[in-house]
Amino acid sequence: MSNTATLEVNGEKYEFPIVTGTENEVAIDIKKLRGVTGGVTTIDPGYKNTGSCTSSITFLDGEKGILRYGGYSIEELAEKADFLEVAFLLIFGELPTKEELDKFYSDIKKNSIVDEDVKKILDAFPKAAHPMGVLSSLTSALTAFNPDAVDVNSEEDMYNSVVRILGKFPVLVAWAMRKKSGLPLDYGDKNLGYVENILKMMFKVPNEEYTQNKVLVEALDKLLILHADHEQNCSTSTVRIVGSSHAGLFASISAGISALWGPLHGGANQAVLEMLEAIKEDGGDTKKYMAKAKDKSDPFRLMGFGHRVYKNFDPRAKIIKVAADEVLGDLGVEDPVLEIAKGLEKEALEDQYFVDRKLYPNVDFYSGIIYRAMGIPTEMFTVMFALGRLPGWIAQWREMRLNKEPIGRPRQLYTGPTERAFKPIEDR
Ligand code: SDX
């Protein structure tokens, strides 16, 4: 294959380098396009064809349904690793040795206390506040309580920021949940594992001992791994572009939380459960909702279906679907919406509209069913997505800064009014 691409514009030909990644993906490097053509740019709404960066963290192949973190398949990691190991892999590029992992968790625990004044910010929110808005605000507030900016060129400084946010974020997640339930804020127990402690902080009630449930621990650990990173998705791209102005790590992650909140992105897991509940209330009439999803005049979409990259199947959805059966079985939970979800999936996979558009269940389609069986409120589902995605956001932010990437500033194609003289108000 030639290692250059030729572009012809207004009769002039221009050559651009072709770059190839380690998985043989091919890209045209157009860094010099505007300069050599005297101002010609490209336009690509939603960046469906445009790479924003090179990255060595996560690889996915949408046609083959492949997802790998640092070269390790999501199937193996979900089966054999635990969430902190995966967080270490994503952020530092290698699976940790036992000593590295023990030190990592020990340093995280040392940083898992949140300044008491943060509770005053939490108190100011109404109980009805959506926990994603609470989480985004409290994460941004961490900057105020941890003012030292990150010197990304200092390995020690960067490491300290990583363990600080991995220590404090789960506390904010638990507090956001307890704010809604009116339970006193809890710190859990530093003698527990990372995921065990998250569950205790979320669920412990004041007047009884909290008993760990191995099924919940394993289910949450697996779900967090499956959500940990996903290359340049909407929220990760947000974290990278905010960080590209050299805004701090906490501020960048706060912006990522807001992007994830949208129902077309991480907010879909909450929207899936609301949709399945509506179908259940409607007597399980899945055909009515399939028709709505295909009706161009109806804004309704089949939530949890479709993906910008996966055009065959989302490997995470396959794993979560199996886990949903296992977890509900282990917990002895009968949830009618699981059967509705399976029925909907079967119908969609056989429907020409969905087949033509390569729409398959994505990571959000079944995850909410497990969260609900675990006793997590629907409004907290996207917060759980954020909890999983945190190491990915950190890893991508760190890579962008270490690669000294320029500030993100896309171009545009102007289509507004051409120059015109100002008209005094009496003449308008
Ligand atoms: C996540 O990017 C990531 O990696 C994200 C994520 C991650 O880990 O970070 O994987 C997590 O965000 C998963 C996606 C969760 N969102 C949902 O489940 C919401 C429902 N799905 C969609 O809104 C949609 O599929 C997107 C947003 C996920 C992808 O949208 P695209 O790639 O921009 O595709 P599109 O909107 O251009 O749709 C192409 C066609 C259109 O029909 P036509 O105009 O060609 O006739 O497919 C249709 C769309 O109307 N379509 C759907 C549909 N999704 C796409 N029709 C009905 N129901 C749907 N869900």
Side-chain angles (χ1 to χ4, degrees):
M1 173 198 292
S2 155
N3 60 3
T4 58
T6 304
L7 183 66
E8 183 170 346
V9 179
N10 301 332
E12 288 288 327
K13 285 191 178 182
Y14 305 91
E15 302 246 311
F16 297 96
I18 285 180
V19 289
T20 304
T22 51
E23 289 283 356
N24 298 317
E25 296 169 299
V26 172
I28 301 170
D29 179 341
I30 57 166
K31 279 200 284 291
K32 296 192 165 60
L33 171 66
R34 197 167 184 280
V36 300
T37 59
V40 174
T41 60
T42 60
I43 192 154
D44 185 21
Y47 312 110
K48 294 192 175 186
N49 306 281
T50 301
S52 59
C53 62
T54 59
S55 177
S56 62
I57 298 168
T58 291
F59 169 72
L60 56 94
D61 180 320
E63 282 64 37
K64 297 183 186 138
I66 292 172
L67 173 58
R68 298 192 196 117
Y69 300 156
Y72 299 97
S73 76
I74 194 63
E75 290 80 4
E76 273 216 285
L77 291 171
E79 197 53 44
K80 299 172 183 170
D82 71 29
F83 179 56
L84 267 197
E85 276 181 290
V86 170
F88 189 99
L89 166 65
L90 288 168
I91 296 167
F92 300 110
E94 295 296 338
L95 284 170
T97 61
K98 178 145 180 16
E99 295 68 32
E100 286 169 330
L101 186 59
D102 291 347
K103 178 178 184 318
F104 191 47
Y105 189 33
S106 163
D107 291 337
I108 287 169
K109 283 191 278 192
K110 285 177 195 151
N111 284 274
S112 56
I113 302 299
V114 173
D115 190 294
E116 276 299 286
D117 284 346
V118 171
K119 291 180 180 177
K120 294 176 186 154
I121 302 171
L122 183 63
D123 285 346
F125 281 97
K127 252 204 181 72
H130 194 289
M132 281 296 273
V134 172
L135 183 64
S136 176
S137 304
L138 296 185
T139 303
S140 183
L142 285 181
T143 308
F145 295 93
N146 302 277
D148 46 336
V150 183
D151 171 5
V152 287
N153 300 306
S154 148
E155 277 304 299
E156 185 192 357
D157 218 13
M158 191 69 232
Y159 179 84
N160 290 337
S161 291
V162 167
V163 294
R164 193 177 302 135
I165 196 157
L166 284 171
K168 297 179 191 309
F169 199 77
V171 177
L172 302 183
V173 164
W175 287 5
M177 178 166 156
R178 297 175 81 89
K179 164 81 186 181
K180 284 198 82 69
S181 58
L183 283 171
L185 304 182
D186 193 286
Y187 267 107
D189 174 351
K190 66 188 293 186
N191 299 312
L192 294 173
Y194 191 73
V195 172
E196 284 89 343
N197 194 41
I198 291 171
L199 286 168
K200 182 170 184 178
M201 287 193 286
M202 289 170 68
F203 288 107
K204 177 162 180 357
V205 291
N207 57 355
E208 60 186 56
E209 277 309 302
Y210 177 75
T211 312
Q212 287 293 337
N213 178 327
K214 196 166 172 298
V215 174
L216 298 192
V217 173
E218 287 176 2
L220 182 54
D221 196 276
K222 183 175 283 190
L223 283 167
L224 295 178
I225 289 171
L226 292 170
H227 287 83
D229 192 48
H230 214 237
E231 55 138 276
Q232 304 312 314
N233 59 84
C234 177
S235 54
T236 300
S237 299
T238 301
V239 170
R240 283 183 84 118
I241 202 164
V242 170
S244 73
S245 73
H246 290 195
L249 177 58
F250 295 141
S252 304
I253 285 173
S254 170
I257 295 167
S258 297
L260 186 72
W261 192 357
L264 294 188
H265 190 15
N269 57 16
Q270 174 178 339
V272 166
L273 247 294
E274 289 163 352
M275 172 185 75
L276 294 172
E277 278 295 333
I279 294 173
K280 188 179 82 170
E281 292 315 307
D282 230 345
D285 182 0
T286 51
K287 293 203 179 334
K288 172 180 167 186
Y289 287 82
M290 289 285 289
K292 281 170 62 71
K294 298 187 285 187
D295 176 356
K296 288 301 167 199
S297 63
D298 189 328
F300 174 80
R301 287 194 158 191
L302 206 62
M303 301 314 279
F305 260 79
H307 198 277
R308 172 60 58 77
V309 179
Y310 289 124
K311 299 304 177 188
N312 194 332
F313 60 88
D314 182 337
R316 301 166 299 175
K318 279 193 159 188
I319 298 169
I320 293 176
K321 181 180 177 182
V322 170
D325 269 326
E326 288 166 355
V327 171
L328 270 67
D330 292 343
L331 295 174
V333 168
E334 289 283 320
D335 189 344
V337 295
L338 178 58
E339 294 319 308
I340 293 175
K342 289 180 178 176
L344 207 52
E345 177 186 9
K346 187 174 179 309
E347 272 186 61
L349 295 181
E350 293 163 0
D351 184 287
Q352 211 50 50
Y353 172 97
F354 286 81
V355 172
D356 291 348
R357 291 165 180 79
K358 300 175 187 263
L359 303 176
Y360 296 86
N362 59 49
V363 67
D364 293 308
F365 189 62
Y366 285 104
S367 55
I369 290 168
I370 300 180
Y371 290 140
R372 183 156 87 159
M374 294 172 68
I376 295 172
T378 306
E379 272 202 326
M380 281 291 294
F381 289 179
T382 312
V383 170
M384 301 313 288
F385 192 142
L387 185 63
R389 186 53 51 89
L390 180 63
W393 285 334
I394 295 169
Q396 299 272 351
W397 186 92
R398 177 174 182 268
E399 178 181 71
M400 175 275 303
R401 289 299 307 275
L402 290 177
N403 289 349
K404 295 185 173 25
E405 289 189 9
I407 185 169
R409 200 268 185 230
R411 306 299 302 218
Q412 63 161 29
L413 189 69
Y414 178 71
T415 55
T418 52
E419 187 173 11
R420 51 185 170 166
F422 182 79
K423 210 182 264 180
I425 193 160
E426 54 275 10
D427 300 342
R428 290 174 204 159

